[in-house]
Structure formats: structure tokens, C-alpha cells
Amino acid sequence: MISSPGRGPLTHQSLDELPAGKPVEHLRSVLVATGALPPRDEQMARLERWITITITGRNDHGERELLHRYAVWHLLRRLRHRTGGAETTYSQLVGARRHVRAAITLLDWLATRDLTLASARQGDLDAWLTSGEAVGRREAGHFVRWASRHKLTSLDFPATRWGGPARVIDTEARWEQARRLLNDDALKPADRVAGLLVLLYAQWPSVISRLTLDHVKATGTTVRLHLGREPVILPEPLAGLVRQLTAARRGHAALGDQGTSPWLFPGGQPGRPISAYQLAERLRQLGIRSGQSRSTALFQLATDLPAAILARLLGIHINVAATWQRASAGDWTTYAAEVSRRTQPPARHSDSSDN
């Protein structure tokens, strides 16, 4: 156990008491990488601290209790269930914060009218929705529906059904970007692989950044990548790029042997992968907008594959896959018919046909 002078053992908790910043983050990552401190879900820890500080700063006791139930017992518990033991991503942290802020925005608006969530009526909510102060409507709707399920309000905030991608689906631009990444040897292999995983397999940067060597299985000339429950067999030249990346991964941390890192995309901190934000920024510099490019890829893939296969291969929820299939008007029966035609044995010619 490492001790700091006059402070006792050096732990995660003692580091949390120091002013937040990159020096503390780097020191923590060094201590974790060397085994002096146990690993910890840093994004979850930051989120928990932020929620505690944010709720504690509210003046009304009843409001603090309401926000604690929503943020801790609902949002955090749901997030832990979704991660399933994996580390929380930065985008998940941002999403949870956005939900809490939206709830506070609505509560503050009600408070200026001497109302609470329990005393407000539907007309009050409608007035907020039509005002210029209705920030974070989608997240606020989630908060109101949660409160309604728990009998904490009589307000009704119907969910809005997603009707498909909001932007034009430019499939030609997608293929043009993919061809560039497949053939331009001047680009870094890590950027090429990451971009192709977005363009061809509809992966978020937050998912790509968490890939490890264990996700890659190379046997003979075949390279398989586990994005979901079933592995994807990578075609060439992408398979070759992945082989190249696994053999020559380089992060920017000065501590330790880079060859021992388990991450496919090592980051700047010892023992840590590249952040999703940094990866998305690198792709943006190549002209790849991760969100838009992923939507285009999902739209096309959902046209060609049934939702169940899409979910198993890409690691997305079956409901998400089904929604995208409806948006793209894909029909799994068409796919099944095509597979049936592919697997039919070739017709045999009779002997007389050769005479």
C-alpha cells in the first residue's frame, strides 16, 4: 500500500479529494497500470460524484429526495445494468448528466410558478413545452414518464416514436470514404480500421475505443472480429489492416511496454484505451462524421439483413435493429429467399445433354 506524507494510504478516495484535472488523472492511471491501485470505472465514479454535488446543491429537501430517487435509483441503476460489468463510456456519462439537467430545468421552471412536479397540471406542462425555456425536451419527457410510473405526478408526457434518420442517407459518400480508407496507405492503420468499423459495421467510436486483442481472432488467412455475440469475418484488405494494427499498436503513454497493452487502440494514459471523443475527433479530421456515417451504414445494413442477424453481428439491441429495418423498409423474408437461392445445389445436366 502506498502512503502519502501526512495523509495515510494513497487510495482512489484520497485522489478524489485532490483538485480534479489531468495531472491527477494521469497519476491515477499510472498507479492503476503499475498495480499500485485497483482498476476502477472512472466514468461511473465521475458521474456519481457529479450527481452527489449537483443534488446536494439544491435548496429544497423534497426536490433533493426526488432527484436522488431519479438519478441514483433509476439512472445509475439502469446504466449499470446496461454496461453489464463493462466500464462506462464518456457518452453514457454525458447522457446521464443530460437527463439530470433536463429534470432540474423543468423543476426550476415549475418552482418559478410556485409549482412542484406533484402539484403541476397538464396545462402547466403544455405551457412549458410551448415556451422558449423547454430545453432538453426528450430527456425531460423521460423524467416525467418515470415520475408518472411511480405515482409521483399526474402529468402525461407521451414518448415520441422515432421515424427514421433525420438527414439524407448518402450511400455514395459512404462508399467513397470507405474506398479511401481501404486504399490510402498514407493514413495511419488505426484511423483506417476505426473509420471502416464506423462506415461498414455501424460502430460507435465509444465501442471501437474499447476493443481489445481478445476481440480479434486470426486463424490462417481468416480474421474474425467480435462486435456482438457472433463474430464478423473481415474481408480483405480490412483483415490485413487489422492484422497490421494488432502487430504495431502504439499509444502515447511513456510508461510501460506498449506491446503488453490489451487495447486495440491504446490511449495517452498508461493502461487506458483512446477516449471515444479523441477517436471521433481523429475521424472527423478525415471527413468522417461518426453519427451520420453510422446512421448511413445501419440504414444500408438493415436493408440487406434481418434484424436478428444484425443484432447478433453488430452488438446492437434487437429493438434497435428492428427499428432501423422498418425505417429502411428492409424485409427479412427477402434475405431468407436470397440465402435459399445461394445454398441450392447447382442443377445437374443429364448425360444426353452432352451428346
Side-chain angles (χ1 to χ4, degrees):
M1 175 71 70
I2 299 178
S3 298
S4 54
R7 292 179 179 268
L10 184 57
T11 63
H12 282 295
Q13 289 69 31
S14 62
L15 290 177
D16 290 341
E17 295 171 1
L18 298 175
K22 290 186 176 180
V24 174
E25 291 179 6
H26 184 76
L27 173 61
R28 191 193 306 273
S29 65
V30 170
L31 294 173
V32 171
T34 56
L37 284 180
R40 186 177 75 164
D41 186 342
E42 287 304 317
Q43 301 294 1
M44 178 61 74
R46 292 190 186 101
L47 180 57
E48 290 172 339
R49 289 198 302 273
W50 180 86
I51 287 175
T52 299
I53 294 171
T54 301
I55 294 178
T56 304
R58 308 298 295 177
N59 295 323
D60 184 81
H61 176 72
E63 190 178 286
R64 289 198 299 270
E65 287 189 344
L66 175 65
L67 288 172
H68 185 272
R69 286 184 62 181
Y70 177 61
V72 176
W73 296 109
H74 176 63
L75 292 178
L76 287 185
R77 185 169 63 176
R78 184 181 66 165
L79 181 54
R80 290 191 181 96
H81 177 73
R82 287 184 173 179
T83 57
E87 289 194 6
T88 308
T89 66
Y90 179 74
S91 61
Q92 289 171 327
L93 175 145
V94 170
R97 284 181 176 177
R98 191 180 295 123
H99 277 76
V100 175
R101 288 193 180 107
I104 290 174
T105 297
L106 176 58
L107 292 174
D108 284 345
W109 187 88
L110 291 173
T112 61
R113 287 153 179 78
D114 295 323
L115 296 169
T116 65
L117 197 65
S119 64
R121 295 296 176 259
Q122 194 64 36
D124 301 315
L125 177 61
D126 294 340
W128 179 73
L129 289 171
T130 56
S131 73
E133 302 172 65
V135 178
R137 297 187 185 192
R138 184 177 68 85
E139 292 81 6
H142 179 273
F143 171 60
V144 172
R145 288 190 294 275
W146 167 83
S148 178
R149 287 195 304 271
H150 289 80
K151 311 300 181 184
L152 302 174
T153 184
S154 61
L155 300 178
D156 179 35
F157 201 127
T160 303
R161 183 178 293 275
W162 183 69
R167 296 184 178 89
V168 175
I169 298 297
D170 191 347
T171 55
E172 183 52 41
R174 172 195 174 215
W175 286 118
E176 184 176 332
Q177 290 174 327
R179 284 191 290 268
R180 178 195 174 198
L181 295 179
L182 286 169
N183 298 300
D184 191 346
D185 293 333
L187 300 177
K188 297 179 180 178
D191 293 344
R192 295 170 71 182
V193 171
L196 288 167
L197 291 179
V198 173
L199 293 167
L200 301 183
Y201 298 102
Q203 296 297 298
W204 285 113
S206 58
V207 174
I208 297 171
S209 67
R210 307 295 303 179
L211 292 175
T212 68
L213 294 180
D214 289 338
H215 289 93
V216 180
K217 303 296 182 184
T219 54
T221 59
T222 302
V223 177
R224 292 178 172 83
L225 180 64
H226 280 265
L227 301 172
R229 284 184 295 163
E230 301 291 337
V232 175
I233 299 179
L234 301 179
E236 292 290 354
L238 177 55
L241 286 172
V242 171
R243 285 181 182 272
Q244 183 179 351
L245 180 61
T246 57
R249 293 162 299 122
R250 286 187 60 83
H252 299 287
L255 180 72
D257 177 12
Q258 293 300 312
T260 64
S261 172
W263 304 107
L264 197 58
F265 298 89
Q269 294 183 352
R272 304 291 300 173
I274 187 173
S275 71
Y277 173 83
Q278 185 179 1
L279 184 59
E281 178 63 20
R282 282 167 56 170
L283 295 180
R284 189 191 65 79
Q285 292 175 4
L286 295 176
I288 300 173
R289 304 282 180 174
S290 300
Q292 186 174 354
S293 298
R294 178 181 181 271
S295 295
T296 304
L298 260 181
F299 189 87
Q300 186 61 51
L301 290 168
T303 303
D304 300 331
L305 295 173
I309 292 180
L310 200 63
R312 289 200 301 270
L313 291 177
L314 303 188
I316 61 177
H317 195 279
I318 182 64
N319 292 342
V320 174
T323 300
W324 274 97
Q325 189 173 68
R326 287 193 297 270
S328 64
D331 184 354
W332 74 268
T333 57
T334 303
Y335 173 84
E338 173 63 21
V339 170
S340 176
R341 285 193 293 270
R342 291 181 207 159
T343 56
Q344 286 180 356
R348 293 184 178 180
H349 296 284
S350 65
D351 294 339
S352 59
S353 63
D354 297 330
N355 295 333

